[in-house]
Amino acid sequence: MAAGPPPPLDPPMLPAFREEGFGDKFLRKTRENPLVPLGCLCTVGALTYGLISFKKGNTRRSQLMMRARILAQGFTFAALLGGMVVTALKSR
């Protein structure tokens, strides 16, 4: 029985990955699915304008903006689902 060289004592060096910060992750996710931040901005804009209209007493405009907010939320949700489907299909 021939004896080979002994195994190395130190484990092989693994590649070091850089820690991804919040800004880097936000930019990467925005590039992957740019419709989600757009939908979020539209939702916040409709909500803000609706609340301002409500405070001024313009109830008709306020109701219109609340309906627009619901549509923007639906768009954002659809963009999220679409992005998840595209990512799942891309990984296959």
Side-chain angles (χ1 to χ4, degrees):
M1 195 169 181
L9 295 177
D10 294 330
M13 292 300 294
L14 297 175
F17 293 104
R18 186 175 67 86
E19 187 71 27
E20 186 177 35
F22 175 77
D24 296 332
K25 185 174 183 178
F26 180 77
L27 288 175
R28 179 176 56 85
K29 293 286 187 176
T30 300
R31 278 189 225 109
E32 288 175 6
N33 194 356
L35 295 178
V36 173
L38 179 68
C40 291
L41 286 174
C42 290
T43 301
V44 169
L47 176 64
T48 303
Y49 191 57
L51 290 174
I52 290 170
S53 297
F54 181 74
K55 186 175 180 182
K56 289 182 179 179
N58 191 349
T59 56
R60 185 164 175 79
R61 174 74 43 124
S62 176
Q63 283 293 316
L64 184 67
M65 287 296 104
M66 290 303 116
R67 290 179 185 148
R69 177 187 58 88
I70 297 298
L71 288 174
Q73 282 179 317
F75 173 79
T76 305
F77 185 71
L80 273 170
L81 286 179
M84 288 172 46
V85 167
V86 167
T87 303
L89 292 176
K90 200 183 292 185
S91 67
R92 288 184 181 187

